[in-house]
Amino acid sequence: MRGLTVGRSPGDARRSTQAASTAVAVLAALGLALSGCGAGGTGARDEGPAHADAVAGAASSSPTASPSKAPDRVDAVRLVKADPKVSAEVKRELKPCVADEYPVDVSYGELTGGSGPAEDVVVNVLTCGDAVGVGSYVYREEDGAYQNVFKAEEPPVYAEIDRGDLVVTKQVYEKGDPVSSPSGENVITYRWASGRFTEEFRTHNDYSNVAGNVPTPAPEPDS
């Protein structure tokens, strides 16, 4: 009797071959999927960057705050010189200090709540030598032109805009005070109401002249 060889049947061989082929196919597909993810294709990992790009795009397309409109500049010198409410003395002081540089300070802001787009204009006229305020004025746009709605011409005087109020500072001199060293100041706050500025309150400040009156001791000579 022939010897009986123990081994796998043809069916077993075919099943083994099919299993091996299936495993190779699975590995190949997995390799393609992984290579697709790493190369930035359409794999699952693309969802992160794609989502971030979408957020960035949405952020870039969102509206941003527009910068505030710059005030329309006015020719303050011409405005003051053409103003019939400005005294002749102030107009005489309004002359160039150097070349075409005039001693005027100009501020823009909301003081009178005008209906037009232009802001109110505060103009201070100073002296050339000591920069002492000789006149302060507020101009409000009405019907396309600026109208004088406030003036103070008792020097030294200076007007400013403070949180929607008009603040006027008037320095006080006593007899013998030099121009550079007043004795104090009155600070008056005005508010626009019923078509004009009305005084809200005032404060008085006294300056100390001790530092200016005490002479500085001369240094002792070296021995």
Side-chain angles (χ1 to χ4, degrees), residues 91 99 162 186 190 198:
K91 291 181 179 180
D162 184 7
N186 293 322
Y190 295 90
T198 58

Side-chain angles (χ1 to χ4, degrees), residues 87-182:
S87 66
E89 291 78 10
V90 172
K91 291 181 179 180
R92 282 195 297 268
E93 289 287 345
L94 189 53
K95 54 189 177 181
C97 297
V98 178
D100 59 348
E101 297 294 328
Y102 284 82
V104 294
D105 287 347
V106 186
S107 302
Y108 301 85
E110 295 291 340
L111 282 172
T112 66
S115 57
E119 293 185 302
D120 300 314
V121 184
V122 177
V123 181
N124 288 286
V125 179
L126 315 172
T127 60
C128 287
D130 301 314
V132 174
V134 295
S136 298
Y137 311 93
V138 178
Y139 293 93
R140 180 177 190 260
E141 185 192 34
E142 296 178 2
D143 299 327
Y146 283 100
Q147 304 295 329
N148 186 328
V149 293
F150 178 88
K151 74 172 184 177
E153 294 181 332
E154 301 81 18
V157 62
Y158 197 89
E160 299 175 282
I161 301 173
D162 184 7
R163 291 168 292 184
D165 290 335
L166 177 66
V167 179
V168 178
T169 301
K170 297 181 179 181
Q171 292 179 325
V172 178
Y173 290 87
E174 294 182 359
K175 186 176 180 179
D177 287 344
V179 174
S180 59
S181 299

